[in-house]
């Protein structure tokens, strides 16, 4: 019985476990602290910036209140974060002339989605036409980390096992407790908002690359998406770059935490890659446990009790994190990010971003302008939480 011809999905492959980072940054008015739809003017002022390998370093996003900072391909987390820092300084100078500050969190505490302007492009126009109200609601920001993987057959064993660490990454980065002026009760409202899009949310746990190729064929044949970029999973293969792209994290508000979480992701993927090389079967969780862990981390953040084994074992996420960081120490030394990985443990000690936002709001008698002020200070390096060490 003949079947439909399945087009291959070529995976470029990366000969080394390189790293690249995308950091979505919002623009806020210096006076009102509301979002500012001035990205086009910022792009005009900055001009075309390219990394050492030709990668565009400042790119457009769905909303005109957002600029995305993108690194070139790097060998170490430190080099990638330094790349972002230089780009950030250029963008900040341009924004300053326009009366605008830079801001990063998973959501803005009080901005209204209905007043935001959209970037016009064929891709974005199609997205909004299809998704309507939910698409227009996507007033959210995140951080995406790419790590190079050498061969396509490693991708899904690594990706599936990486889902065990999903709640750790979300809880550590959670920075979206507020939405449209109200506290949602969640540490990461962004994670649950974003999964409302039809191609977003948790990835499918395919056994191999061939299964993924069949999935891509089915989705393209039925018009679910027309290009792989339309697949907005929280962790996804990026065949064009030869990477696994981790898109779990909420927007991160300072360079110290960005470096720490990028190091954790880099070490996790490389550690799993090395276990695949040794012929090990990597541990996985059933999809229903992965889904529950995502919800628990989004709701409770660092207080989440998560499912850590297919035998239904549960642990407080921060207790499990301590063991995870210890296991990854040798990998961090080899990747020259031992200091950055050690700094991950400081996030629970001083309070994650969602906790700091709530503390700031309480101290200011509920004034959410004060929350934006604090986040702006973190990003520009002048706030008490700008340095993670």
């Amino acid at each position: 019985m003949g079947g439909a011809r399945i087009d291959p999905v070529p995976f470029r492959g990366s000969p080394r476990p390189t790293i690249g980072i995308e950091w979505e940054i919002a623009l806020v008015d210096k006076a009102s602290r509301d979002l500012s739809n001035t990205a086009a003017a910022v792009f005009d002022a900055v001009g075309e910036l390219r990394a050492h390998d030709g990668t565009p370093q400042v790119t457009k996003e769905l909303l005109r209140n957002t600029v995305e900072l993108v690194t070139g391909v790097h060998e170490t987390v430190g080099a990638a974060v330094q790349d972002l820092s230089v780009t950030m300084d250029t963008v900040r100078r341009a924004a300053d002339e326009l009366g605008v500050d830079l801001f990063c969190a998973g959501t803005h505490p009080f901005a209204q989605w209905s007043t935001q302007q959209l970037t016009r492009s064929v891709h974005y126009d199609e997205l909004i036409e299809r998704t309507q109200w939910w698409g227009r609601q996507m007033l959210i920001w995140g951080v995406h980390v790419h790590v190079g993987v050498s061969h396509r057959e490693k991708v899904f064993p690594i990706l599936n096992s990486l889902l065990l660490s999903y709640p750790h990454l979300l809880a550590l980065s959670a920075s979206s407790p507020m939405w449209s002026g109200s506290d949602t009760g969640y540490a990461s409202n962004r994670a649950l908002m974003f999964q409302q899009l039809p191609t977003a949310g948790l990835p499918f746990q395919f056994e191999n690359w061939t299964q993924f190729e069949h999935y891509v064929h089915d989705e393209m044949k039925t018009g679910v998406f027309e290009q792989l970029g339309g697949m907005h999973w929280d962790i996804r293969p990026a065949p064009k770059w030869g990477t696994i792209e981790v898109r779990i994290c909420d927007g991160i508000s300072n360079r110290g935490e960005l470096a720490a979480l990028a190091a954790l992701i880099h070490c996790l993927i490389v550690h799993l890659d090395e276990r695949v090389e040794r012929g090990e079967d990597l541990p996985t969780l059933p999809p229903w446990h992965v889904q529950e862990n995502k919800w628990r981390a989004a709701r409770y953040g660092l207080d989440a009790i998560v499912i850590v084994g297919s035998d239904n074992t549960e642990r407080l996420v921060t207790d499990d994190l301590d063991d995870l960081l210890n296991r990854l120490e040798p990998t961090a030394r080899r990747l020259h990010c031992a200091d950055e990985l050690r700094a991950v443990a400081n996030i629970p000690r001083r309070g994650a971003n969602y906790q700091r936002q709530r503390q700031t709001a309480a101290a200011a008698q509920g004034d959410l302008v004060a929350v934006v002020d604090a986040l702006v200070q973190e990003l520009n390096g002048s706030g008490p939480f700008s340095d993670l060490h």
Side-chain angles (χ1 to χ4, degrees):
M1 193 169 94
R5 179 181 176 274
I6 305 298
D7 291 329
V9 179
F11 185 80
R12 179 178 176 180
S14 176
R16 298 179 312 285
T18 50
I19 184 168
I21 305 172
E22 302 165 7
W23 196 3
E24 294 173 350
I25 303 293
L27 306 171
V28 295
D29 185 84
K30 284 181 180 288
S32 71
R33 288 313 193 200
D34 202 351
L35 289 168
S36 174
N37 288 279
T38 49
V42 171
F43 288 124
D44 288 344
V46 167
E48 189 174 284
L49 298 178
R50 291 193 177 271
H52 61 278
D53 56 5
T55 304
Q57 291 178 290
V58 182
T59 61
K60 297 177 181 177
E61 276 294 315
L62 172 63
L63 296 170
R64 294 179 64 179
N65 55 40
T66 302
V67 297
E68 184 177 55
L69 312 185
V70 182
T71 71
V73 178
H74 290 281
E75 302 288 334
T76 66
V77 168
V81 173
Q82 178 58 29
D83 183 341
L84 287 171
S85 297
V86 173
T87 307
M88 172 95 63
D89 290 345
T90 303
V91 172
R92 180 175 283 113
R93 285 193 295 272
D96 203 48
E97 293 291 317
L98 298 165
V100 170
D101 278 323
L102 307 184
F103 161 100
C104 190
T107 55
H108 186 284
F110 63 83
Q112 302 297 314
W113 66 268
S114 56
T115 63
Q116 308 309 314
Q117 297 172 16
L118 298 166
T119 301
R120 298 305 302 270
S121 76
V122 172
H123 173 64
Y124 290 142
D125 289 352
E126 183 181 311
L127 174 67
I128 296 300
E129 170 59 29
R130 183 167 191 236
T131 59
Q132 292 294 308
W133 189 83
W134 275 116
R136 292 280 285 124
Q137 288 272 338
M138 292 298 134
L139 199 58
I140 54 178
W141 298 273
V143 169
H144 306 157
V145 179
H146 289 259
V147 177
V149 175
S150 62
H151 194 276
R152 68 183 197 175
E153 291 305 332
K154 291 180 175 180
V155 169
F156 280 98
I158 294 171
L159 187 155
N160 296 342
S161 195
L162 193 58
L163 289 167
L164 278 158
S165 302
Y166 187 114
H168 308 65
L169 291 168
L170 184 57
L172 287 162
S173 67
S175 62
S176 50
M178 297 165 194
W179 177 257
S180 195
S182 299
D183 192 317
T184 65
Y186 282 77
S188 174
N189 191 50
R190 167 195 159 272
L192 302 185
M193 288 287 300
F194 190 51
Q195 72 181 17
Q196 304 308 315
L197 294 182
T199 61
L202 291 168
F204 295 107
Q205 295 188 43
F206 296 121
E207 292 179 15
N208 52 51
W209 194 258
T210 301
Q211 287 186 359
F212 174 63
E213 288 178 329
H214 279 80
Y215 161 80
V216 170
H217 169 82
D218 291 349
E219 299 295 88
M220 289 188 169
K221 185 74 173 176
T222 55
V224 178
F225 53 73
E226 294 183 357
Q227 54 175 341
L228 282 176
M231 182 183 70
H232 299 112
W233 292 347
D234 298 337
I235 311 174
R236 67 182 182 183
K240 179 180 178 183
W241 309 116
T243 65
I244 291 175
E245 181 184 5
V246 177
R247 300 154 52 86
I248 295 168
C249 294
D250 271 9
I252 299 172
S253 57
N254 62 73
R255 297 176 205 195
E257 287 182 347
L258 179 78
L261 291 168
L264 178 53
I265 292 167
H266 200 192
C267 291
L268 276 167
I269 292 177
V270 172
H271 175 69
L272 292 170
D273 191 323
E274 290 170 346
R275 292 177 67 181
V276 172
E277 286 280 356
R278 292 196 293 268
E280 294 183 35
D281 289 330
L282 300 183
T284 59
L285 276 182
W288 47 92
H289 283 349
V290 174
Q291 181 174 307
E292 174 64 12
N293 278 346
K294 176 179 179 176
W295 186 86
R296 291 185 189 185
R299 169 65 179 88
Y300 299 109
L302 294 171
D303 294 319
I305 295 172
V306 298
I307 305 159
V308 296
S310 52
D311 60 353
N312 305 320
T313 309
E314 296 174 278
R315 293 185 79 188
L316 180 65
V317 69
T318 46
D319 289 345
D320 200 60
L321 175 68
D322 290 339
D323 290 346
L324 179 61
L325 295 176
N326 287 334
R327 286 201 304 275
L328 294 176
E329 266 184 29
T331 307
R333 286 195 296 272
R334 289 197 300 278
L335 294 173
H336 304 290
C337 62
D339 289 344
E340 290 92 341
L341 185 72
R342 273 194 295 271
V344 171
N346 293 334
I347 297 175
R349 290 188 194 123
R350 73 175 191 177
N353 187 293
Y354 72 92
Q355 295 169 318
R356 302 197 299 268
Q357 287 189 44
R358 286 182 171 138
Q359 290 165 359
T360 301
Q365 289 76 51
D367 180 9
L368 298 185
V369 169
V371 177
V372 180
D373 282 339
L375 289 164
V376 167
Q377 289 172 6
E378 278 198 33
L379 197 57
N380 68 22
S382 62
F385 294 107
S386 298
D387 185 358
L388 191 55
H389 299 286

